[in-house]
Every structure is written in structure tokens, then in C-alpha cells.
Amino acid sequence: KQEVTQIPAALSVPEGENLVLNCSFTDSAIYNLQWFRQDPGKGLTSLLLIQSSQREQTSGRLNASLDKSSGRSTLYIAASQPGDSATYLCAVTIGANSKLTFGKGITLSVRP
Amino acid sequence: DTAVSQTPKYLVTQMGNDKSIKCEQNLGHDTMYWYKQDSKKFLKIMFSYNNKELIINETVPNRFSPKSPDKAHLNLHINSLELGDSAVYFCASSGRGLQFFGPGTRLTVT
């Protein structure tokens, strides 16, 4: 049974800091991995999708890496801003139209 | 132009009532899902439909019954609501391995 872990559950950093959010999964036979952002009381916004054959994806100040063999992914946020404050969720799937298995998320607070 | 929409956004009801949540996607996807986010913010799959056929049914009480009248719609009907059903319910659809989520329906059972 696939389990996704995100530690720590919460993180507080000063504005401008570069930071790394970690995600680990127990079954390396994944199809892809997605990072989502969730603002309080809102839905999920997809940030980055990494296919199992890829090592990393970049979008603006965000960079996600994937090491499938070790069951790990990281989300790197450069030059953090208060607007980055949100909960970041990692999720994996075993097929193109299969369910997502989510981690519990990391709640990030960027202090001005 | 909303990709995945849900109605209602908020639903407050009493124990024992029956309620429905509607979901529609205009992305042309074949697969749709219902997820539940509990009070601890943990998101978990409930159901998945592909081309109107049920393909995933996690261990969800049979008081929950999804219905897919066509590929663009997946509704969730809940009978005999219980306090523990209070949560945020998210609808999603997928295409090319990427899942798109609706804004969520916050259900409160009193």
C-alpha cells in the first residue's frame, strides 16, 4: 500500500529565504508525482507534475525533483515571499487515470 | 471559464438528512474522482469513474453513492448524514496524468 510522507508538518521562514520541502513515498512504482498548493479554505492548485521518467521540473521560482528509486521528491522554492504562504501537498499515482495518494502536506509560513 | 466546478460550495445540514453535491468538468476528460479532506486536512480518494463506469471504490460507507449521468458529470449523494461526514469534498478530473480539482464543498453536519 502506497504511503506518502511529508515532514515537517509546518515550516516558518523569513522572507527571501530559499527553502526545500520534502516528500517521500513507500512504493517506487509510480506513474507520476504532483505538487499542489492549497490556500486556507480553497481548492488545490497544481504546481508541478513530474513523470516517472523525469528527474525534475521547473516553473518560475519553483523546482521539483524526483528520485524514484529512493522514493523521494523535493520542492525547492527560491527567494520565498509572503504570498508563498500556503499548504503544499505532494501526491503520487500509479497510472494515468489512477487515484492520487496524498501526503498530509506542509504548511508554510513566510514572514515579512 | 471554470474547468472543474462543484455546487454547492457550502452545505450545512442536520444529522439523518440526505444531500447531494454536484460536479461538472468542461475539460473533456474521461476520468473523474471524489476526494474527502477531513478535519486534519488529509485528502483521501473516495471514488473514481472512467467513462461513467465506477473503477475505484475505496472503503466508503454505502450511504455514499456516486452517480455519473455522463462523462462530464459526477455527482455524490449521501444518505442518512452523520456528524463524521463533516469534511470538505473535492471533485477532480484527469487527463494525461494531470488531475484538476474543483473548489471543494464544505459539508457541515449538525
Side-chain angles (χ1 to χ4, degrees):
Chain A
K1 179 186 171 188
Q2 179 74 271
E3 290 184 3
V4 180
T5 302
Q6 293 182 256
I7 296 173
L11 187 61
S12 179
V13 301
E15 182 176 5
E17 190 164 299
N18 301 326
L19 59 104
V20 173
L21 306 181
N22 293 306
C23 171
S24 62
F25 46 94
T26 54
D27 187 347
S28 61
I30 64 169
Y31 178 78
N32 67 36
L33 181 146
Q34 272 185 264
W35 281 94
F36 292 88
R37 169 182 172 142
Q38 185 175 27
D39 292 282
K42 303 290 185 183
L44 280 73
T45 301
S46 181
L47 297 173
L48 288 164
L49 169 72
I50 310 180
Q51 302 290 355
S52 62
S53 58
Q54 297 175 321
R55 297 285 292 183
E56 65 178 324
Q57 283 287 332
T58 298
S59 175
R61 293 183 294 109
L62 305 179
N63 175 278
S65 69
L66 174 64
D67 184 343
K68 208 173 81 158
S69 60
S70 67
R72 294 181 188 275
S73 175
T74 62
L75 179 66
Y76 175 82
I77 303 177
S80 58
Q81 303 169 358
D84 295 329
S85 299
T87 296
Y88 291 81
L89 294 136
C90 164
V92 298
T93 184
I94 60 169
N97 293 316
S98 296
K99 66 177 183 180
L100 283 171
T101 300
F102 282 87
K104 293 188 178 181
I106 298 174
T107 298
L108 173 66
S109 173
V110 181
R111 308 186 301 272
Chain B
D1 203 17
T2 307
V4 183
S5 59
Q6 296 178 228
T7 54
K9 188 168 183 181
Y10 300 97
L11 186 52
V12 181
T13 188
Q14 291 183 328
M15 284 176 56
N17 285 348
D18 303 338
K19 290 293 178 185
S20 292
I21 307 172
K22 295 187 176 182
C23 176
E24 177 180 2
Q25 54 97 1
N26 62 7
L27 298 167
H29 291 160
D30 289 336
T31 307
M32 297 183 71
Y33 312 81
W34 278 108
Y35 290 86
K36 178 180 179 180
Q37 188 171 43
D38 61 24
S39 57
K40 296 182 179 179
K41 309 298 183 189
F42 188 42
L43 262 164
K44 194 171 179 184
I45 185 74
M46 298 175 70
F47 301 102
S48 171
Y49 268 70
N50 183 267
N51 274 320
K52 304 194 298 176
E53 298 294 325
L54 179 67
I55 57 172
I56 294 176
N57 182 351
E58 295 287 303
T59 49
V60 177
N62 57 15
R63 297 182 295 104
F64 290 79
S65 53
K67 284 187 172 52
S68 181
D70 55 57
K71 276 184 5 176
H73 296 84
L74 180 61
N75 304 322
L76 183 65
H77 188 76
I78 315 170
N79 289 326
S80 303
L81 278 156
E82 301 177 356
L83 292 177
D85 297 333
S86 295
V88 181
Y89 293 84
F90 287 99
C91 176
S93 71
S94 68
R96 298 183 185 178
L98 188 62
Q99 290 202 16
F100 296 84
F101 282 75
T105 296
R106 182 173 295 276
L107 171 64
T108 303
V109 182
T110 61

